[in-house]
Amino acid sequence: MQALFQPFRALGYISDDIPFAVQRRGKETFVTVSVGKAWQVYSCSKLGVRLVGPQFEHNVKALACRGDLTFAAVKNDIIVCQRVHRIGTYSGHTGSIIQLLTLGDILLSLGSDRKLLVWADGIYDTPKVTVDLPEGFTPTCMAHPDTYLNKVVIGSQEGKLQLWNFLSGKMLYEFSGLGEGAVKCITPSPALDVVGVGLSAGQAVLLNLKFNEVVASFANAAGVGSGDQLRASATKPKPGGGACTCIAFRTGSGVPLMAAGGGAGVITVWNLDERRLHTIVKDAHDGPLTSLYFFPGEPLLMSAAADNSLKHWLFDSADGTARLLRFRSGHSAPPSCLKFYGTGNKLLSAGQDRAFRVFSVIQDQQSREVSQGHIAHKAKRMRLAQQDLKLPRVIGMDACQVREKDWCNVITAHQGDAAAYTWRLQNFTLGEHVLKPPTSKKRKADNYPDAGHQAAAPVTAVGMSQCGNYGLVGRANGTVDRYNMQSGLHRGSYNRVGEAKRRAAAHDSSVTGIAADACNKVLVTTGLDGRLCMWDFKQQRLQGEVAVGSAVACMAHHPATSLVALAADDLVLRMYDVEAVRMVRRFKGHKDRVTGLVISQDARWLLSSSMDGTVRVWDIPAACCLQVVKLGSPVTGVQLSPSQDLLATTHVKRRGIYLWYNHLMFGSGADIQPSTRPVNAALPSIATGEPLSEWLLCWNHPVTTCDVPPCTCSGTVQVEVRCLCVWQHAVLFGVSTDSNIRHCCKDSTESRAVLPCMQLHACGLDKANLALQATFHQCCSLHCTAQVIKNNVLNLRTAMALPSRLVMTQTL
């Protein structure tokens, strides 16, 4: 049985803890980074995604590049991809592969099985040379010194270096006495015979291979400690703390610099002429550094770390300090809060890394982190880490697009914070107003429930009115307040009338949900006291309440109707009609804590996520479970786009946001049968939801290519393709009249398309047949974007205008 929501792609993955590979092609420099079980290529000019590799069965452990070839070490094998097409696999190691290195047409692989294998181009079964490293020498890294023909330097866990001729298989020399700890990295320097060696004790050592002499040693190159401690340790022979995991040397004119980094996320830059600390880039990354690279002849440094980011640092200031030039980053810790914004093209997210981000589901380069103010300058002035000055992690959010251009239109609740914060999403900045609790004087004048308490309770739930004028804040002591979003002023509280007509808080315990209807007539609140309360929005009076019977964990409200869905601690989902003040639906099936609820725009579906690893789709009119989608990982958040074409989920121990497309909107409804049996669905990859081979069954005719230069060719390429998917109205590829594609077969699942070569060249590919494959791939896998397909008509020009991350992502 088909899953109701099929995997589309994952958002927010930039890099991981594997060192990147850099190569220059013509005037452009490209960097290949690992993202779990796949890799992707960025253009260094603007850090835009150029290629996304295929999905592997296991995580990538090492990378290397040469021309159109990308070598990825996956467990004991080396998978070779030509652009994005998998063409072969080198197999020979019995242990995991540590590092890959390309020298001309030769590939070197260093494994944990103490073997150095030399591979010839295109010969996958047997290595050209096998070098067995001696006992007592556990390899950790290797490097090829300049002018050392057919030779590599290999570092070990025992702190020794060995120089090997990899063609003859002979060890030429062994270097020792570098310092304390294991060798973590080796980098050739611009000076002949000199290499930089990073040690686990934190030292960065410059070693002259020709004379076996230590030229210089820099303690605490990993950057552990404050700036004063770093400057002090640079003049002392004793090592600092933390391993030095990456080193890079600046070339060209200017001060000769060496950059080093480690687990502290700090980049230390050293003046090699004066042998002293030049500058420190504090808070460069929130995780351990994995790679550093100075662009040849430029004062530009590229860094990558395990915090899921890639950054460029420019050394152009008079005092020699570095400034952040450009960067790409995602969540450094798993996100847990999600909300589609506007029409569904943007996705708001927040998580454990204390960052608030905006992701574009169409264009990756439009994704960014929302600014929390001048944190870098404050951290530098106060000598604190930037992470310490960020707001606590977001535990709740709400947004309204109506007043986006006028004032702040996003409100967030933060863990342990008594104030709610506003955000101006048009400028991607923190808002000017902080929604704090009323002052003590105003509390007494308004007969506030906790007027006798000085400390305000933390915010636990937030909401916004549909007009965008009011922000609603619920707190842990049960109080509910209303604020004006334009001025940030407190505009009243929602209180119950207790004994002796004394005001009491809206709830007896923490507020877990708050929402207003579309006309600002009714306000709905829920709490851990197990009550659902309906309030007159303007008069701030209680209209009615319902005893749920169990503590309410989360709530979903449909603004256009009077429906409210509640998830209680007893794992039962209840739906109420707030106008009739009665329960209308009751769903039961989850086996663990419910983490999210969302009602579809047409109010026909209720979606719930749970820590049991499932997303359940409930049919509201039929009062039954439509499907149970088992995702294989505990789900911490779920959201459905307003157009109901995309589903977004977040998961435990995963830093990405996963998108799923609605199969009912772009497939056959006959494939979905109401059932409570779980349907397995694999998590999406960063490239595409399903392998292309599942969409395209066969090529019925060979594809002819065109060698005419782009924009001058008037020829066409014709192909017939049979697709496994069946559109809802039996139309496979309906094409608009202005896209220059003729649709020849509309009454079956076989289609023939004639494509102008000019449009194929527009994809930026070398061969027209590869472009054609990518084109039909987009026709099949991009059906989940409602902006592309309308009325079963697909505009190929629109599809080609989509970012290159969606082009050529799988092979036939």
Side-chain angles (χ1 to χ4, degrees):
M1 184 171 59
Q2 286 279 355
L4 180 58
F5 289 96
Q6 298 284 345
F8 176 37
R9 66 182 303 264
L11 297 176
Y13 283 105
I14 307 299
S15 65
D16 56 13
D17 56 351
I18 303 301
F20 55 62
V22 182
Q23 70 167 336
R24 188 172 181 85
R25 306 197 66 186
K27 297 182 180 180
E28 186 72 34
T29 303
F30 299 93
V31 55
T32 305
V33 299
S34 169
V35 279
K37 298 181 180 180
W39 51 262
Q40 54 190 7
V41 180
Y42 289 95
S43 169
C44 291
S45 59
K46 295 184 179 180
L47 288 183
V49 179
R50 291 294 176 262
L51 289 178
V52 178
Q55 190 84 355
F56 304 128
E57 295 181 358
H58 303 281
N59 289 340
V60 177
K61 296 300 182 182
L63 287 170
C65 297
R66 184 181 69 235
D68 285 341
L69 301 180
T70 301
F71 306 93
V74 180
K75 294 194 73 173
N76 305 342
D77 299 328
I78 305 171
I79 300 176
V80 186
C81 298
Q82 185 171 12
R83 293 182 70 86
V84 297
H85 300 281
R86 184 169 173 172
I87 62 174
T89 302
Y90 292 111
S91 299
H93 284 282
T94 57
S96 61
I97 298 174
I98 301 173
Q99 187 178 347
L100 299 177
L101 184 64
T102 56
L103 298 174
D105 58 350
I106 291 178
L107 174 67
L108 303 179
S109 61
L110 183 66
S112 59
D113 53 0
R114 296 201 309 275
K115 288 185 179 181
L116 174 65
L117 302 184
V118 183
W119 304 92
D121 192 11
I123 303 176
Y124 302 110
D125 297 333
T126 306
K128 184 177 181 180
V129 179
T130 300
V131 178
D132 294 317
L133 301 179
E135 293 286 342
F137 187 87
T138 306
T140 56
C141 56
M142 64 176 173
H144 169 66
D146 294 338
T147 72
Y148 280 57
L149 185 64
N150 300 332
K151 298 176 182 65
V152 290
V153 179
I154 304 176
S156 68
Q157 190 72 28
E158 292 76 20
K160 299 179 181 180
L161 297 180
Q162 291 182 354
L163 180 65
W164 285 79
N165 187 316
F166 56 80
L167 289 186
S168 63
K170 296 181 180 180
M171 186 185 70
L172 305 180
Y173 198 82
E174 182 174 279
F175 306 89
S176 60
L178 299 178
E180 298 182 6
V183 178
K184 290 297 183 180
C185 64
I186 306 174
T187 304
S189 74
L192 294 180
D193 305 319
V194 178
V195 296
V197 182
L199 303 178
S200 60
Q203 289 175 288
V205 179
L206 297 182
L207 175 66
N208 190 310
L209 299 176
K210 185 174 183 180
F211 299 102
N212 189 17
E213 179 182 351
V214 175
V215 178
S217 180
F218 303 97
N220 199 6
V224 178
S226 64
D228 296 336
Q229 293 172 339
L230 286 174
R231 289 181 173 85
S233 64
T235 60
K236 297 179 181 180
K238 64 180 182 179
C244 179
T245 57
C246 50
I247 293 175
F249 294 93
R250 177 180 173 180
T251 60
S253 59
V255 180
L257 300 177
M258 181 190 74
V266 178
I267 301 176
T268 59
V269 184
W270 307 83
N271 188 320
L272 297 182
D273 278 347
E274 302 177 5
R275 299 186 182 183
R276 63 174 180 84
L277 185 65
H278 182 73
T279 186
I280 306 169
V281 185
K282 296 186 65 177
D283 298 317
H285 291 272
D286 295 331
L289 284 162
T290 58
S291 299
L292 290 173
Y293 176 79
F294 264 112
F295 289 87
E298 299 181 47
L300 187 61
L301 175 68
M302 179 167 58
S303 63
D307 63 347
N308 195 25
S309 65
L310 189 66
K311 300 182 179 181
H312 285 181
W313 306 90
L314 184 62
F315 294 83
D316 61 346
S317 58
D319 57 354
T321 59
R323 63 180 178 91
L324 184 61
L325 181 63
R326 63 178 70 93
F327 69 98
R328 292 289 301 274
S329 62
H331 282 290
S332 59
S336 56
C337 291
L338 285 175
K339 184 171 182 62
F340 275 101
Y341 179 75
T343 59
N345 293 337
K346 292 181 180 179
L347 190 62
L348 309 181
S349 70
Q352 301 175 12
D353 57 353
R354 303 167 69 176
F356 183 40
R357 294 186 173 274
V358 180
F359 286 96
S360 172
V361 300
I362 296 178
Q363 178 59 268
D364 272 348
Q365 287 181 292
Q366 295 179 2
S367 304
R368 58 184 300 173
E369 180 180 355
V370 183
S371 173
Q372 298 187 19
H374 301 287
I375 293 181
H377 297 288
K378 293 179 182 178
K380 185 176 181 180
R381 184 176 65 254
M382 300 171 64
R383 295 188 176 183
L384 295 174
Q386 295 184 24
Q387 193 71 10
D388 297 337
L389 296 181
K390 284 187 175 182
L391 296 174
R393 75 180 188 94
V394 177
I395 58 175
M397 70 171 71
D398 200 4
C400 180
Q401 193 183 14
V402 176
R403 293 291 190 173
E404 179 183 15
K405 297 181 180 180
D406 299 327
W407 50 72
C408 299
N409 62 323
V410 179
I411 182 172
T412 56
H414 299 260
Q415 188 177 31
D417 201 324
Y421 293 84
T422 60
W423 306 79
R424 189 179 287 270
L425 208 59
Q426 185 183 23
N427 301 330
F428 298 101
T429 58
L430 183 66
E432 57 271 18
H433 302 302
V434 179
L435 308 183
K436 298 180 179 179
T439 60
S440 299
K441 184 176 181 181
K442 184 174 178 55
R443 287 167 184 255
K444 293 180 180 179
D446 296 344
N447 196 15
Y448 206 78
D450 62 342
H453 301 278
Q454 296 296 328
V459 177
T460 56
V462 291
M464 282 192 67
S465 62
Q466 297 300 308
C467 60
N469 294 321
Y470 295 101
L472 308 167
V473 178
R475 292 185 166 84
N477 59 357
T479 58
V480 177
D481 298 317
R482 187 178 69 183
Y483 295 84
N484 185 284
M485 293 296 293
Q486 182 179 9
S487 63
L489 298 178
H490 184 262
R491 292 305 185 192
S493 304
Y494 294 85
N495 303 317
R496 291 181 291 121
V497 179
E499 297 181 359
K501 295 184 179 181
R502 180 176 177 81
R503 291 189 179 184
H507 290 271
D508 298 331
S509 186
S510 178
V511 179
T512 56
I514 181 170
D517 66 351
C519 300
N520 285 353
K521 290 185 178 181
V522 180
L523 177 71
V524 183
T525 61
T526 59
L528 292 180
D529 56 357
R531 292 188 300 111
L532 169 66
C533 296
M534 284 71 72
W535 308 81
D536 185 291
F537 187 87
K538 295 181 180 180
Q539 301 299 325
Q540 302 174 5
R541 291 197 302 259
L542 183 65
Q543 289 183 339
E545 61 178 304
V546 177
V548 178
S550 181
V552 180
C554 56
M555 180 190 79
H557 177 246
H558 194 265
T561 64
S562 58
L563 292 179
V564 173
L566 308 179
D569 287 349
D570 57 2
L571 306 183
V572 178
L573 308 182
R574 299 171 175 88
M575 294 199 70
Y576 291 88
D577 187 335
V578 296
E579 290 186 0
V581 195
R582 66 184 182 90
M583 185 172 63
V584 294
R585 291 291 184 270
R586 189 173 185 270
F587 302 113
K588 190 174 181 180
H590 282 294
K591 300 179 181 179
D592 205 340
R593 179 170 60 91
V594 179
T595 57
L597 288 174
V598 59
I599 302 176
S600 62
Q601 191 74 12
D602 58 4
R604 296 186 61 88
W605 288 353
L606 172 65
L607 286 80
S608 59
S609 62
S610 172
M611 294 297 290
D612 58 11
T614 63
V615 170
R616 292 178 179 258
V617 184
W618 310 90
D619 192 318
I620 298 176
C624 67
C625 180
L626 185 59
Q627 193 174 83
V628 180
V629 184
K630 189 175 182 59
L631 306 184
S633 176
V635 187
T636 58
V638 62
Q639 278 291 311
L640 185 66
S641 64
S643 56
Q644 302 179 200
D645 57 344
L646 287 181
L647 178 73
T649 59
T650 56
H651 299 263
V652 173
K653 296 182 180 180
R654 297 183 182 272
R655 296 183 295 188
I657 299 173
Y658 296 90
L659 297 180
W660 313 74
Y661 68 85
N662 189 345
H663 184 72
L664 281 186
M665 294 190 68
F666 309 105
S668 175
D671 297 335
I672 308 300
Q673 299 292 334
S675 173
T676 57
R677 295 181 57 186
V679 179
N680 294 324
L683 290 178
S685 67
I686 63 170
T688 182
E690 298 183 20
L692 186 59
S693 57
E694 296 183 14
W695 291 101
L696 302 184
L697 182 62
C698 63
W699 295 97
N700 293 334
H701 295 284
V703 180
T704 58
T705 61
C706 178
D707 298 326
V708 181
C711 301
T712 61
C713 177
S714 59
T716 60
V717 178
Q718 179 171 310
V719 65
E720 286 188 7
V721 64
R722 177 176 295 138
C723 188
L724 294 181
C725 62
V726 181
W727 296 114
Q728 188 171 1
H729 301 288
V731 178
L732 181 61
F733 295 123
V735 184
S736 60
T737 56
D738 62 344
S739 62
N740 298 327
I741 302 178
R742 295 191 297 272
H743 182 206
C744 302
C745 184
K746 294 186 178 180
D747 56 353
S748 68
T749 59
E750 295 185 6
S751 295
R752 179 183 297 126
V754 180
L755 290 81
C757 294
M758 188 182 304
Q759 285 190 343
L760 297 182
H761 286 298
C763 286
L765 307 177
D766 298 333
K767 297 265 187 186
N769 62 336
L770 296 181
L772 189 59
Q773 296 174 14
T775 299
F776 277 98
H777 176 209
Q778 292 183 37
C779 293
C780 290
S781 64
L782 289 186
H783 59 276
C784 48
T785 55
Q787 291 76 18
V788 177
I789 296 180
K790 293 181 179 180
N791 301 324
N792 293 321
V793 174
L794 187 145
N795 188 332
L796 187 61
R797 286 180 178 173
T798 306
M800 285 186 171
L802 291 174
S804 56
R805 59 177 170 81
L806 296 174
V807 178
M808 264 198 347
T809 53
Q810 296 287 347
T811 60
L812 288 172

